[in-house]
Amino acid sequence: PRTRTVMSSAARAAASCLGVPCGGGGRVSRVARRQVPTASSSAPAGAGEASETLTNSKSSIDGVIRRRTFSLYPASRREELLAAGRDVRTIHMVRHAQGTHNVDKQYRDPIHADARLTPLGEQQCAALAAFASEVVCGAQMVVTSPLTRCVQTAVASFPGLAARPREACPFVAHESIRETVNFSCDVRRPIAAVSAEFPRVDFAQHCPSEHDPLWARYQALVPAGFDGHLESCDLVSVADRGREFFGWLEGRAGTGGAG
């Protein structure tokens, strides 16, 4: 299957609230998606700026290992996809607000382990909440990375959604959408500690390990004292995490959300 996604200008404006870029490699986007069965692994004609094809996964056919392909489309095609009878989903993607590690950029310093938001980051969330309240009012779910700065951003940026009953708009932490795991700032706290601080968020379903499995995995692979990038040198695994998330989202038929 191939997933089609489109980006809107509404979410581009949200970028100014968080102070992050949203151009060709945008940090904030609004996308609609549709699963299209296909036997081809190549990106379709007219695919947007972030399509990719990989043939290297855990299952293989005739010795060729394959992965699913996702493509981005401009927001102007959303109505076209709807008119064609596509099952369109809308996702609002938001980068976390400013964390302590973003200020001095000492990413390896243990003081920034699972970095929290700065006062400015909290102000950015408030600004986004004011801007996005009408944009996301129809959202049915909020999904966040389990890192503290991301959970803080999710809860503070969508207070209207957080005030709804859990069944009306669940807030879900999902391990698969974490940013690349490289330095101390990317290590997450034990789930018991994070979940106790953010009771509105469900960590039970998609954060099965109490301690950080991604950090433990890479620490086991590198020699003691290694000071370089970890998961950024293993982008195939990053892509696999993304595919795992979209596969899960696919199973939630009819669900739109803010992530």
Side-chain angles (χ1 to χ4, degrees), residues 111-227:
I111 195 174
H112 295 308
D114 199 0
R116 305 183 69 87
L117 297 186
T118 64
L120 175 59
E122 294 172 352
Q123 294 173 22
Q124 291 173 328
C125 291
L128 180 59
F131 167 83
S133 59
E134 294 186 7
V135 177
V136 302
C137 63
Q140 300 171 22
M141 176 175 59
V142 176
V143 187
T144 175
S145 157
L147 292 182
T148 298
R149 56 187 176 269
C150 300
V151 183
Q152 285 181 290
T153 300
V155 173
S157 297
F158 307 112
L161 300 179
R164 295 179 185 176
R166 288 175 175 268
E167 61 274 13
C169 186
F171 277 57
V172 179
H174 205 298
E175 200 87 73
S176 292
I177 59 172
R178 289 173 58 179
E179 59 192 87
T180 49
V181 177
N182 291 303
F183 308 117
S184 294
C185 63
D186 304 318
V187 182
R188 74 157 168 78
R189 291 185 290 162
I191 290 299
V194 188
S195 60
E197 185 175 351
F198 302 101
R200 180 62 175 85
V201 180
D202 179 2
F203 292 84
Q205 296 185 57
H206 303 290
C207 299
S209 300
E210 172 66 10
H211 298 284
D212 191 339
L214 294 176
W215 182 256
R217 173 194 174 197
Y218 288 106
Q219 288 301 299
L221 292 174
V222 299
F226 181 80
D227 195 37

